[in-house]
């Protein structure tokens, strides 16, 4: 019997941990099982061709909010092409109100909840004829046009959870997902974890063994999918201690944590981590206490702020902070405050998300009470609320895109820091940029990297509070620090660079200067040194502001300041040149 497990991932770099669990857990039937991973962006005809060529007896489809609409369009085609194939749906998106799916889709069976043991018993029944469908907890099926829903499946003891990465073949350029626990101690009303009580853990020694394997294999990134990784202090610290002690110098570990559970012992341990070894994702969601109480996430923002600042002060932990737009009681002004509160912490990544009213979640059940209007189809995204109308929500969508392109790209750090000082707040800057962007219809077209710099210059020229010449200098600095320089765009210029060209060429021929300041380039001929460096002059003290990270004032220099940038070093090194 051939069983095809189908994953419709959101992106190429994603992988399906759930389907790998099922195949490994059903080890007696591994020879029967094939996993097919594709994405919702792939060509549908090619996808159907790949499925059809397998001629499976059973197709199991992993269903999530990001792929359910695609699944609904795929099933009728599969039913026509493979009329005798059993179609099975599983995953979070069908684990609530799964019986309703039989009304709209020509499917045979739905698996609710955790699927490892359910699939094992189902394949016992299908392949070996053991028991009956009636004996399998966690399934919904149709018998003689009657929908039958069996008793729910009890959660799996995680000591039985298999390790699914014995081979990393084909995963070289993809994210490796890993799970050390299931469940969450919190009761956030927008999250499905609130519907399950308790937290279960994989035995610690097994986790250490798995992480050692990842480190030896020099995996690029391991992303823990635990809802709140630091639920149990001793457990989390033991894992962090293990990866710090066995660090290979390149692997990165991503954890979703609750900031309020970080204490001084944890900070002291994390202080010893290599820069880049660990990154944290922290769900702030809102800084309005009334909003946080409504979603049962009652952690005061002041406490989260203190912890995130302590983590940032370590200087070695990348932080990703999240806000959710569309929560109860959060109007546009309140969201503006939340936005400004979070960006003031200067996280490495700032995610502006939009509320999804997930099946089974508390907010979905209370949607009418709170006046939450959302899309009927997955991902059930919020449209508007009692406090925030659709026009305002559209503004936030546009701001979210600009936040991603300008702030999260990391390529405009100095330009943004200066621009933030020219507006009442960072949110006001992004709001003004959003208005400009849409007036120019830039939201309707794609842009290359250079265009984002040029558009910022055009925007600044229309703002009375912005010194356009100074902004050009910050943009020039950002461009040098983040883009390979071949020729500086003329639009960035604030002085005549041609006058410095001869001096630049002479400098690169000066072996004594190179030996003193750029010894790593001493073996190169001047032509090669030219490829590895860039000399730039500034009329304002932007380089000093960059070094001190102060942007609220700028000095117009009597003599332009020359900085020689060394691209052969990482990060890029800048050397002050005294001569004009």
């Amino acid at each position: 019997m051939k069983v095809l497990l189908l994953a419709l991932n959101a992106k190429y770099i994603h992988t399906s941990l759930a389907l790998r669990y099922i195949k490994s857990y059903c080890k007696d039937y591994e020879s029967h099982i094939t996993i097919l991973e594709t994405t919702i962006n792939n060509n549908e005809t090619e996808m159907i061709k790949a499925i059809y060529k397998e001629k499976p007896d059973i197709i199991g489809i992993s269903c999530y909010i990001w792929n359910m609409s695609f699944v609904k369009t795929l099933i009728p085609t599969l039913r026509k092409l493979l009329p005798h194939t059993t179609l099975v749906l599983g995953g979070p998106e069908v684990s609530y109100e799964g019986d309703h799916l039989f009304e709209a889709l020509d499917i045979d069976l739905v698996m609710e909840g955790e699927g490892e043991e359910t699939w094992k018993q189902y394949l016992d029944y299908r392949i070996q004829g053991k028991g009956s469908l009636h004996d399998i907890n966690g399934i919904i099926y149709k018998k003689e046009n009657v929908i039958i829903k069996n008793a729910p499946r009890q959660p799996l003891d995680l000591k039985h959870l298999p390790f699914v990465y014995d081979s990393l073949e084909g995963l070289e350029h993809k994210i490796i997902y890993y799970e050390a626990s299931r469940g969450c101690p919190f009761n956030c009303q927008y999250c499905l974890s609130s519907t399950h009580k308790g937290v279960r853990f994989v035995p610690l020694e097994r986790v250490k063994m798995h992480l050692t394997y990842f480190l030896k294999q020099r995996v690029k990134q391991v992303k823990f999918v635990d809802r709140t990784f630091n639920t149990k202090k001793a457990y989390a610290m033991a894992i962090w201690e293990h990866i710090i002690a066995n660090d290979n110098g390149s692997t990165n570990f991503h954890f979703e944590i609750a900031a309020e559970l970080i204490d001084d012992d944890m900070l002291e341990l994390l202080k010893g981590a290599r820069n880049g070894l660990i990154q944290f994702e922290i769900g702030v969601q809102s800084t309005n206490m009334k909003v946080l109480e409504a979603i049962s996430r009652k952690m005061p923002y002041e406490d989260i702020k203190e912890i995130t600042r302590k983590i940032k002060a370590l200087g070695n932990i990348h932080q990703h902070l999240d806000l959710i737009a569309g929560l109860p009681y959060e109007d546009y002004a309140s969201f503006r405050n939340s936005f400004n509160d979070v960006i003031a912490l200067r996280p490495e990544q700032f995610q502006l998300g939009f509320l999804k009213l997930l099946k089974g979640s508390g907010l979905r059940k209370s949607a009418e009470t709170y006046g939450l209007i959302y899309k009927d189809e997955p991902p059930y995204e919020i449209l508007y609320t009692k406090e925030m109308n659709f026009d305002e929500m559209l503004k936030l969508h546009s701001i979210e895109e600009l936040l991603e392109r300008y702030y999260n790209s990391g390529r405009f750090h100095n330009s943004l820091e200066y621009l933030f000082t020219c507006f009442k707040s960072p949110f006001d800057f992004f709001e003004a940029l959003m208005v400009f962007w849409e007036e120019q219809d830039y939201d309707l077209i794609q842009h290359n990297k250079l265009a984002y710099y040029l558009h910022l210059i055009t925007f600044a020229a229309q703002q009375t509070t912005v010194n356009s010449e100074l902004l050009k200098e910050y943009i020039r600095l950002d461009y040098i620090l983040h883009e390979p320089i071949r020729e500086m765009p003329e639009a960035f210029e604030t002085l005549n660079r041609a006058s410095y060209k001869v001096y630049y060429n002479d400098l690169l021929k000066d072996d004594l200067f190179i030996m003193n300041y750029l010894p790593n380039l001493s073996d190169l001929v001047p032509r090669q040194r030219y490829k590895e460096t860039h000399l730039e002059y500034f009329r304002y003290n932007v380089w000093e502001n960059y070094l001190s990270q102060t942007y609220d004032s700028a000095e117009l220099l009597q003599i332009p300041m020359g900085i020689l940038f060394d691209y052969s070093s990482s990060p890029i090194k800048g050397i002050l040149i005294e001569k004009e």
Side-chain angles (χ1 to χ4, degrees), residues 25-72:
Y25 192 86
C26 301
K27 53 184 178 294
D28 294 339
Y29 306 115
E30 278 190 291
S31 61
H32 295 264
I33 301 173
T34 299
I35 293 176
L36 174 60
E37 290 196 86
T38 182
T39 80
I40 55 176
N41 303 308
N42 282 7
N43 181 279
E44 184 182 20
T45 300
E46 290 300 316
M47 187 186 307
I48 292 170
K49 176 183 176 181
I51 297 170
Y52 180 75
K53 285 176 69 175
E54 292 290 332
K55 296 292 195 299
D57 300 291
I58 303 170
I59 298 177
I61 306 177
S62 188
C63 301
Y64 295 84
I65 55 173
W66 66 76
N67 69 17
M68 193 62 198
S69 294
F70 191 92
V71 170
K72 288 178 178 179

Side-chain angles (χ1 to χ4, degrees), residues 448-473:
N448 59 29
K449 286 184 179 181
L450 177 59
Y452 285 102
Y453 291 95
L454 296 175
H455 295 335
L456 211 53
I457 291 173
T458 306
F459 163 75
Q462 300 179 9
Q463 311 301 314
T464 58
T465 58
V466 178
N467 180 336
S468 293
E469 291 293 297
L470 176 56
L471 176 65
K472 285 183 181 181
E473 299 229 317

Side-chain angles (χ1 to χ4, degrees), residues 238-354:
I239 290 173
W240 289 335
E241 185 175 25
H242 183 78
I243 62 175
I244 291 171
N246 295 279
D247 182 20
N248 61 14
S250 61
T251 299
N252 166 262
F253 293 88
H254 177 103
F255 303 94
E256 187 171 342
I257 67 163
E260 62 266 41
L261 299 182
I262 294 289
D263 62 16
D264 289 341
D265 292 337
M266 290 178 168
L267 291 169
E268 184 62 30
L269 172 63
L270 292 167
K271 185 166 64 176
R274 166 182 56 86
N275 188 4
L277 174 65
I278 292 172
Q279 65 186 50
F280 288 154
E281 182 172 351
I282 299 171
V284 180
Q285 319 315 7
S286 174
T287 65
N288 183 326
M289 201 61 201
K290 185 177 181 181
V291 175
L292 295 175
E293 288 174 355
I295 62 175
S296 299
R297 190 73 174 90
K298 301 178 183 178
M299 183 63 186
Y301 170 67
E302 289 302 315
D303 294 343
I304 292 179
K305 179 171 71 173
E306 180 183 358
I307 294 298
T308 54
R309 281 182 169 168
K310 286 182 178 180
I311 294 172
K312 192 172 186 67
L314 297 178
N316 60 347
I317 307 290
H318 172 112
Q319 292 188 93
H320 177 150
L321 303 187
D322 300 339
L323 280 183
I324 298 178
L327 293 172
Y329 303 127
E330 184 110 82
D331 60 17
Y332 193 76
S334 171
F335 190 85
R336 175 184 181 274
N337 291 337
S338 293
F339 184 103
N340 286 327
D341 286 339
V342 171
I343 205 169
L345 301 174
R346 296 301 189 268
E348 283 72 20
Q349 292 284 299
F350 179 14
Q351 181 69 42
L352 196 173
F354 293 83

Side-chain angles (χ1 to χ4, degrees), residues 67-76 101 105 376-378 380:
N67 69 17
M68 193 62 198
S69 294
F70 191 92
V71 170
K72 288 178 178 179
T73 64
L74 184 63
I75 285 174
L101 293 169
L105 300 173
D376 292 337
E377 292 298 312
Y380 315 111

Side-chain angles (χ1 to χ4, degrees), residues 6 265 352 371 402 463 509 567:
L6 178 62
D265 292 337
L352 196 173
L402 294 172
Q463 311 301 314
K509 293 175 184 176
Y567 283 101

